[in-house]
């Protein structure tokens, strides 16, 4: 039997550790808000419909139109700032930036509507209960559903994809990222009682699980389908190093996506897939000590060859991708609650370790620098020679979300 002073000591120690970690979360959330304040100031001189995305060579903010895949992340981060503070000033900014996106509810030109609308309007509805936001989200889900084909049992990601190997075009490409968009469909099904949204989401998830995830739980980025019979025509990469490699952010989308799909379905096949993908990521010999992955797990490895047109042939530096780490950290906080205690504790420890790495001077920007983004050192797409070793708005969004999830677990 352990002596009483042992229990007093360990109880005291865990309160002390929890207190320290609360301070860690609060100071990082405070820093994030400070950067967001600077960024809001910077946006004042921009066009009304310009959404923060990354920086240029001079370290100044670059924006995109609302029709790119990332406009929802800045409003989403503003909603997290509001959630942290309940300050109406943050709410006003979050509302302003969210409502700029209203035309997206009818957008059907690519699959990213889940990212664009659920991070913005989804958080808006969660935190305000405003029914107008609910209706906009449901209309967005209808628009996303138009890209589903019952023959491929998938939502088409892009209208076309050109192989890095030559001139071959594919007209039904599905990328692993697309799993993230399903959250909008699950939401719409719950809100309306219309099971067709859910049917589309589950069908897509099953197809991705069979065709996009390899037997060892690594992942293909792009799977191209034949719409006449639903057969797979090709498995390639767009943003990864090689067709048979594992693009780190793709694996991150898979871990987060299948965790969310398990939350929505309670189907153990999806939990097994989420955990398998997480284990593959965390146990990988190529994952650096600080758990911030290289942009691709197999870059520069023997047995992996980029397509002839890919810029990956010319990049020898193994850049880190902070965005992948932030997504995985957030996902692991959730996944840790769905598995048995000891496995869950492992995922939670990894999620916390990643957060601490990201909050270190190696990855967190000095205040007022980095185009006022929070985190440095992400990668958009090396094959396309775009956004290499830069801040990215979605790295910041998932960092803030991971902080929120960590904080909730400490309460
Ligand atoms: N969804 C696009 C990307 O992760 O770059």
């Amino acid at each position: 039997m352990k002596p009483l002073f042992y229990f007093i000591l360990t109880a005291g120690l865990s309160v002390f550790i929890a207190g320290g970690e609360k301070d860690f979360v609060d100071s990082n959330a405070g820093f994030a808000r400070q950067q967001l304040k600077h960024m809001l100031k910077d946006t004042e001189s921009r066009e009304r419909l310009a959404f923060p995305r990354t920086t240029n060579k001079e370290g100044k903010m670059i924006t995109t139109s609302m029709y790119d895949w990332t406009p929802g992340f800045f409003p989403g981060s503003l909603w997290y700032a509001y959630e942290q503070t309940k300050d109406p000033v943050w709410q006003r900014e979050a509302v302003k930036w969210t409502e700029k996106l209203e035309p997206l509810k009818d957008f059907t030109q690519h699959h990213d509507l889940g990212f664009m609308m659920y991070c913005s309007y989804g958080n808006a509805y969660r935190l305000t209960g405003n029914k107008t936001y609910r209706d906009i989200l449901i209309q967005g889900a209808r628009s996303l559903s138009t890209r589903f084909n019952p023959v491929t049992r998938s939502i088409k990601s892009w209208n076309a994809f050109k192989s890095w190997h030559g001139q071959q075009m594919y007209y039904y490409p599905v990328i692993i990222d697309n799993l993230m968009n399903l959250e909008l469909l699950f939401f719409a099904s719950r809100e309306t009682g219309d099971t067709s949204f859910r049917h589309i989401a589950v069908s897509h998830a099953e197809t991705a699980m069979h065709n996009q995830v390899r037997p060892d739980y690594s992942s293909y980025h792009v799977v191209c389908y034949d719409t006449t019979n639903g057969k797979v025509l090709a498995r390639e990469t767009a943003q990864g190093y090689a067709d048979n490699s594992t693009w780190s952010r793709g694996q991150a989308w898979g871990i987060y996506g299948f965790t969310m799909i398990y939350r929505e379905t309670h189907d153990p096949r999806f939990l097994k897939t989420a955990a398998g993908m997480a284990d593959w990521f965390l146990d990988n010999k190529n994952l650096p000590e600080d758990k911030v992955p290289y942009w691709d797990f197999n870059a520069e490895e023997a047995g992996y060859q980029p397509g002839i047109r890919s810029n990956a042939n010319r990049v020898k530096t193994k850049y880190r991708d902070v965005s992948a780490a932030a997504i995985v950290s957030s996902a692991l906080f959730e996944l840790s609650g769905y598995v048995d205690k000891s496995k869950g504790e492992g995922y939670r420890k990894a999620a916390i370790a990643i957060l601490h790495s990201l909050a270190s001077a190696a990855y967190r920007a000095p205040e007022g620098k980095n185009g006022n983004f929070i985190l440095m050192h992400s990668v958009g797409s090396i094959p396309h020679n775009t956004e290499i070793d830069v801040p990215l708005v979605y790295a910041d969004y998932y960092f803030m979300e991971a902080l929120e999830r960590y904080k909730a677990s400490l309460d």
Side-chain angles (χ1 to χ4, degrees):
M1 208 174 95
K2 293 192 170 81
L4 186 61
F5 77 84
Y6 170 86
F7 290 107
I8 294 168
L9 189 72
T10 51
L13 196 64
S14 58
V15 169
F16 174 74
I17 291 168
E21 287 303 277
K22 276 188 177 161
D23 289 348
F24 166 81
V25 170
D26 287 344
S27 75
N28 278 287
F31 174 78
R33 291 196 300 276
Q34 201 52 49
Q35 290 294 84
L36 283 172
K37 267 187 201 160
H38 294 311
M39 190 172 272
L40 279 168
K41 191 111 206 68
D42 191 3
T43 59
E44 282 167 14
S45 60
R46 313 275 178 143
E47 283 171 41
R48 199 180 78 79
L49 295 176
F51 292 82
R53 161 78 164 250
T54 182
T55 53
N56 62 17
K57 283 196 174 58
E58 288 73 48
K60 299 277 176 256
M61 180 170 74
I62 292 178
T63 58
T64 67
S65 93
M66 78 166 90
Y67 298 106
D68 210 316
W69 75 279
T70 52
F73 295 115
F74 183 56
S77 296
L78 296 171
W79 282 114
Y80 286 133
Y82 170 63
E83 187 170 23
Q84 290 158 5
T85 58
K86 300 290 178 295
D87 181 339
V89 174
W90 285 115
Q91 182 173 21
R92 212 166 42 239
E93 290 296 342
V95 165
K96 185 175 105 187
W97 280 87
T98 297
E99 291 184 353
K100 291 178 191 201
L101 296 177
E102 201 212 325
L104 293 179
K105 68 184 190 306
D106 299 314
F107 181 71
T108 58
Q109 285 311 299
H110 57 69
H111 69 143
D112 282 316
L113 228 49
F115 283 116
M116 297 151 92
M117 301 201 71
Y118 207 67
C119 301
S120 53
Y121 278 99
N123 278 310
Y125 182 55
R126 180 175 68 83
L127 292 169
T128 66
N130 182 334
K131 293 285 185 210
T132 307
Y133 298 157
R134 170 191 173 274
D135 296 346
I136 289 169
L137 285 162
I138 292 165
Q139 180 55 30
R142 283 193 197 105
S143 299
L144 178 58
S145 300
T146 62
R147 298 183 67 83
F148 180 75
N149 181 332
V151 179
T152 62
R153 298 188 79 243
S154 289
I155 294 166
K156 179 160 67 170
S157 291
W158 305 319
N159 294 342
F161 165 66
K162 186 172 176 181
S163 168
W164 288 121
H165 299 288
Q167 300 309 312
Q168 176 73 50
M169 295 293 295
Y170 294 100
Y171 295 98
Y172 209 100
V174 178
I175 64 173
I176 192 147
D177 326 25
N178 203 336
L179 293 166
M180 301 292 286
N181 296 310
L182 306 181
E183 198 166 5
L184 176 63
L185 300 181
F186 284 117
F187 166 85
S189 211
R190 246 193 339 273
E191 288 291 323
T192 59
D194 179 347
T195 53
S196 65
F197 295 118
R198 188 181 172 82
H199 170 74
I200 291 172
V202 172
S203 302
H204 181 102
E206 285 174 346
T207 308
M209 187 170 63
H210 291 129
N211 293 335
Q212 212 116 23
V213 182
R214 301 185 185 113
D216 68 353
Y217 292 103
S218 64
S219 51
Y220 291 101
H221 183 203
V222 189
V223 177
C224 303
Y225 290 94
D226 180 337
T227 51
T228 63
N229 55 23
K231 291 215 168 97
V232 172
L233 292 173
R235 289 183 173 88
E236 300 202 1
T237 195
Q239 284 158 267
Y241 184 73
D243 297 342
N244 60 339
S245 75
T246 296
W247 174 49
S248 298
R249 196 163 55 254
Q251 190 75 9
W253 294 138
I255 298 166
Y256 192 119
F258 283 113
T259 301
M260 171 274 293
I261 294 159
Y262 173 70
R263 180 216 308 147
E264 297 290 347
T265 60
H266 299 293
D267 182 332
R269 294 172 307 158
F270 296 130
L271 180 59
K272 193 167 172 219
T273 306
M277 294 188 82
D279 294 342
W280 188 92
F281 185 103
L282 294 172
D283 299 340
N284 200 288
K285 67 175 172 42
N286 292 336
L287 184 68
E289 190 85 351
D290 65 7
K291 301 194 194 310
V292 177
Y294 300 110
W295 71 278
D296 188 293
F297 276 89
N298 308 107
E300 296 295 314
E301 272 201 334
Y304 300 87
Q305 182 61 52
I308 41 169
R309 293 192 311 105
S310 169
N311 182 59
N313 288 301
R314 285 174 284 282
V315 175
K316 299 298 165 203
T317 309
K318 283 173 51 172
Y319 291 101
R320 303 295 187 98
D321 183 12
V322 154
S323 73
I327 296 158
V328 170
S329 175
S330 184
L332 290 177
F333 279 115
E334 179 169 12
L335 184 58
S336 69
Y338 300 150
V339 291
D340 69 51
K341 201 163 177 280
S342 78
K343 208 168 170 51
E345 201 40 51
Y347 289 152
R348 187 178 146 77
K349 275 195 182 137
I352 296 167
I354 294 173
L355 265 187
H356 276 269
S357 295
L358 298 183
S360 74
Y363 302 108
R364 206 185 86 173
E367 196 200 317
K369 303 275 189 257
N370 199 38
N372 301 314
F373 291 91
I374 304 163
L375 299 175
M376 308 179 283
H377 304 311
S378 287
V379 167
S381 180
I382 285 183
H384 295 89
N385 197 16
T386 51
E387 301 176 335
I388 301 174
D389 198 22
V390 290
L392 287 168
V393 67
Y394 42 97
D396 289 5
Y397 173 85
Y398 288 102
F399 177 66
M400 290 188 77
E401 183 181 83
L403 287 171
E404 284 298 291
R405 289 179 172 190
Y406 188 21
K407 186 171 179 166
S409 77
L410 293 169
D411 286 341

